[in-house]
């Protein structure tokens, strides 16, 4: 009996921290977002839509190499139950090779996004925890209510966020598949395609449009890009995972989280970058010495903490992000929210005698933003380089959270009007 309870506790804490990670990076302070199908009526003028999710918001499935069937792993409660807990964590935790700048999955296993092209991989991560692991669920329901159908004029482009970063997508298949999918969406509907990108999906789409396809391709296939709360300047939250330990709900969760995210490319991709932060602006601060961590000196701190792989991973991502200064070359709408408490500075704990600050729990200091991404990062598109012909529109919501513009009952009605009508 005692043994069973212990196993149960271990499982619950593991799962809670995984669910909470999703929640933290997708929507730090989840608001209740209602959806009401009666707000919508069928529309005849519908542009085909491709949905590009953010970090942790693509569902994943895995199989042992040699097996024929894949089984959902992100997220499926049963896969994390003892005695399988460690196996599940091992499958999810990517391995980074800093010499080749490539990521791979634990040997013997194969992981891929669920239902590429359809919407099953971008709706919710776990059906039993839908309130906590929602990706595009409300938007998908709204689109269905106006007549959209999965794989007909509504498509999902989930991607394996564990092993993809901004500097990987053009070589690891993500851009290749996205290009094919857009062409299919166009050919099936004979209409230009709308890309809807949430969170980290925005920098991904920008990179794809600016570096993978030609001007002619964009003019032929893309109607517009809509970016919803996209961290073009990075975020502060990843610093808590990389440079310290972040505790979520359950004591002990910080070491599991630290282990899981250690070599996860997307965490380094989302570190603050020079588009959102001045090189000498503090992104973290030392509790005792008062020393500031900035983009100019951050690698010195990583060296002190022996984070060699992490430093290299971050340098690659920073380089690609810092080069992403241009308007994507298609009509672009930037939708952002602000007015919520958002982690904006991390306090690292160097106050304990003989302790290592990078192994201590961090404290986050809040500023303005959407609850997950700081406002200054969301505002980066205001300074994109653009030609006179480039169209760039802004829509802002006060008080909505990170997914609010594509989840909130009222905001959603406006959103659907951006690409469908009577
Ligand atoms: C750290 O940055 C803050 C804010 O920019 C500044 O006021 C403070 O003097 C800096 N601390 C050190 C030790 O440089
Ligand atoms: C850094 O890593 C090296 C080699 O793995 C090890 O010998 C050294 O003790 C580590 N230093 C710290 C501060 O952890």
């Amino acid at each position: 009996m005692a043994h069973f309870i212990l196993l149960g506790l271990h499982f619950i804490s593991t799962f809670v921290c995984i669910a909470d990670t999703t929640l933290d990076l997708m929507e730090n302070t989840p608001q209740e977002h209602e959806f009401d199908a009666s707000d919508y009526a069928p529309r005849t003028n519908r542009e085909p839509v491709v949905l590009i999710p953010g970090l942790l918001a693509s569902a994943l499935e895995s199989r042992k190499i040699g097996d024929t069937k894949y089984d959902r792993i992100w997220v499926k409660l049963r896969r994390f139950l003892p005695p399988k807990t460690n196996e599940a964590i091992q499958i999810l935790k990517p391995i980074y090779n800093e010499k080749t700048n490539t990521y791979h999955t634990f040997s013997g296993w194969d992981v891929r996004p669920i239902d590429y092209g359809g919407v099953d991989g971008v709706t919710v991560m776990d059906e039993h925890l839908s309130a906590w692991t929602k990706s595009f669920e409300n938007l998908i329901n709204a689109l269905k209510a106006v007549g959209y159908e999965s794989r007909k004029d509504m498509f999902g482009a989930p991607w394996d966020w564990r092993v993809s970063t901004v500097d990987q997508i053009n070589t690891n298949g993500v851009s290749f598949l996205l290009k094919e999918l857009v062409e299919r969406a166009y050919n099936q509907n004979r209409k230009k395609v709308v890309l809807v990108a949430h969170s980290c999906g925005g920098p991904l789409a920008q990179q794809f449009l600016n570096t993978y396809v030609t001007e002619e391709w964009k003019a032929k296939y893309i109607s517009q890009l809509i970016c919803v709360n996209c961290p073009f300047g990075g975020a502060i939250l990843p610093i808590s995972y990389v440079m310290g330990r972040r505790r979520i709900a359950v004591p002990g969760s910080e070491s599991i989280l630290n282990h899981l995210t250690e070599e996860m490319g997307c965490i380094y991709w989302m570190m603050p970058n020079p588009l959102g932060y001045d090189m000498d602006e503090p992104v973290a601060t030392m509790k005792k010495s008062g020393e500031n961590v900035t983009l100019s000196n951050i690698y010195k701190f990583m060296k002190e903490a022996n984070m060699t792989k992490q430093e290299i991973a971050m340098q690659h991502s920073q380089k690609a992000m810092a080069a992403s200064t241009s308007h994507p070359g298609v009509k672009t709408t930037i939708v952002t929210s602000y007015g919520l408490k958002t982690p904006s500075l991390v306090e690292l704990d160097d106050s304990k005698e003989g302790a290592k600050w990078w192994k201590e729990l961090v404290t986050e200091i809040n500023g303005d933003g959407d609850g997950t991404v700081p406002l200054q990062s969301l505002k980066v598109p205001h300074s994109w380089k653009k030609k006179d012909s480039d169209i760039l529109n802004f829509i802002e919501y006060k008080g909505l959270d990170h997914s609010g513009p594509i989840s909130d009952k009222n905001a959603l009605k406006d959103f659907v009007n951006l690409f469908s009508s009577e």
Side-chain angles (χ1 to χ4, degrees), residues 280-285 289-294 345:
D280 293 323
E281 185 176 354
V283 291
T285 180
S289 73
E291 211 178 340
N292 288 322
V293 180
T294 66
L345 185 72

Side-chain angles (χ1 to χ4, degrees), residues 165-339:
T165 72
V166 66
D167 55 318
Q168 307 278 326
I169 58 165
N170 288 357
T171 50
N172 75 359
V174 171
S175 294
F176 176 84
L177 288 175
L178 182 57
K179 179 166 178 269
E180 270 196 346
L181 184 62
V182 169
E183 289 169 8
R184 177 153 36 110
Y186 172 89
N187 290 330
Q188 276 176 215
N189 295 279
R190 289 283 139 201
K191 271 186 189 157
K192 289 195 202 184
V193 177
V194 179
L195 302 178
V196 175
H198 179 228
S199 193
C200 202
L204 188 157
Q206 183 202 19
Q207 183 79 358
F208 168 78
L209 292 167
N210 278 337
T211 66
Y212 195 73
V213 292
T214 62
E215 295 302 318
E216 294 70 38
W217 189 91
K218 289 188 261 193
K220 176 169 179 189
Y221 291 106
I222 302 291
S223 156
Q224 64 169 321
L225 165 66
I226 307 176
C227 296
V228 182
N229 284 330
C230 298
F232 290 105
I236 293 296
L237 213 42
I239 292 188
S240 299
Y241 292 95
V242 172
M243 315 271 298
R245 298 278 162 98
R246 185 161 201 266
R247 173 174 297 169
I248 305 188
V250 185
S253 60
E254 65 276 8
S255 56
I256 300 170
L257 277 173
N258 197 262
H259 174 71
L260 251 180
T261 54
E262 212 166 27
E263 298 182 34
M264 202 170 267
C266 56
I267 299 286
Y268 300 98
W269 176 3
M270 279 299 106
M271 289 288 268
N273 71 52
L275 306 183
Y277 293 82
D278 290 337
M279 293 306 282
D280 293 323
E281 185 176 354
V283 291
T285 180
M286 291 289 165
K287 187 173 178 175
K288 188 169 157 214
S289 73
E291 211 178 340
N292 288 322
V293 180
T294 66
L295 293 181
S296 332
N297 68 14
I298 194 165
Y299 299 122
K300 181 192 91 176
F301 289 93
M302 291 175 107
K303 280 196 175 70
E304 186 187 336
N306 235 4
M307 298 174 181
T308 312
K309 282 189 174 197
Q310 290 88 331
E311 185 185 338
I312 295 171
M314 180 169 163
Q315 281 170 346
H316 282 290
S317 283
Q318 291 274 304
K319 202 170 148 206
M321 285 304 280
S324 286
T325 53
S326 301
H327 182 283
V330 299
K331 176 183 169 187
T332 299
T333 304
I334 303 292
V335 185
T336 55
S337 359
Y338 66 101

Side-chain angles (χ1 to χ4, degrees), residues 15-218:
F15 194 79
V16 164
C17 78
I18 286 168
D20 268 357
T21 324
T22 317
L23 158 78
D24 261 308
L25 295 179
M26 293 204 303
E27 38 187 354
N28 195 14
T29 43
Q31 295 169 337
E32 283 295 322
H33 294 299
E34 292 166 44
F35 169 74
D36 188 347
S38 68
D39 286 339
Y40 302 88
R43 299 175 180 187
T44 48
N45 189 8
R46 304 187 303 267
E47 293 180 294
V49 172
V50 171
L51 305 171
I52 308 172
L55 273 193
L56 304 158
S58 297
L60 304 174
E61 58 190 5
S62 70
R63 70 167 178 181
K64 223 183 198 135
I65 289 173
D67 288 356
T68 44
K69 273 182 65 183
Y70 283 84
D71 188 15
R72 182 183 284 247
I73 182 155
W74 185 264
V75 180
K76 187 174 177 184
L77 223 75
R78 204 155 38 76
R79 302 266 326 245
F80 291 88
L81 279 170
K84 295 243 170 186
T85 314
N86 288 340
E87 180 190 274
I89 289 177
Q90 218 158 27
I91 298 168
L92 272 185
K93 180 182 160 70
I95 298 156
Y96 179 58
N97 180 333
E98 75 277 19
K99 302 212 168 61
T100 53
N101 186 33
T102 50
Y103 296 82
H104 61 271
T105 297
F106 183 63
S107 123
W109 288 85
D110 180 17
V111 174
R112 67 175 189 189
I114 287 178
D115 191 30
Y116 193 86
V119 295
D120 288 352
V122 299
T123 307
V124 294
M125 299 304 99
D126 182 332
E127 291 152 10
H128 306 291
L129 286 171
S130 75
W132 303 97
T133 65
K134 228 184 253 293
S135 182
F136 283 110
E137 188 181 37
N138 286 14
L139 175 60
I140 289 169
N141 286 334
L143 293 177
K144 284 181 179 166
V146 303
Y148 279 92
E149 285 176 49
S150 176
R151 290 186 180 274
K152 194 164 163 253
D153 50 7
M154 173 171 68
F155 304 84
W159 49 286
D160 186 350
W161 38 267
R162 303 170 317 121
V163 297
S164 300
T165 72
V166 66
D167 55 318
Q168 307 278 326
I169 58 165
N170 288 357
T171 50
N172 75 359
V174 171
S175 294
F176 176 84
L177 288 175
L178 182 57
K179 179 166 178 269
E180 270 196 346
L181 184 62
V182 169
E183 289 169 8
R184 177 153 36 110
Y186 172 89
N187 290 330
Q188 276 176 215
N189 295 279
R190 289 283 139 201
K191 271 186 189 157
K192 289 195 202 184
V193 177
V194 179
L195 302 178
V196 175
H198 179 228
S199 193
C200 202
L204 188 157
Q206 183 202 19
Q207 183 79 358
F208 168 78
L209 292 167
N210 278 337
T211 66
Y212 195 73
V213 292
T214 62
E215 295 302 318
E216 294 70 38
W217 189 91
K218 289 188 261 193

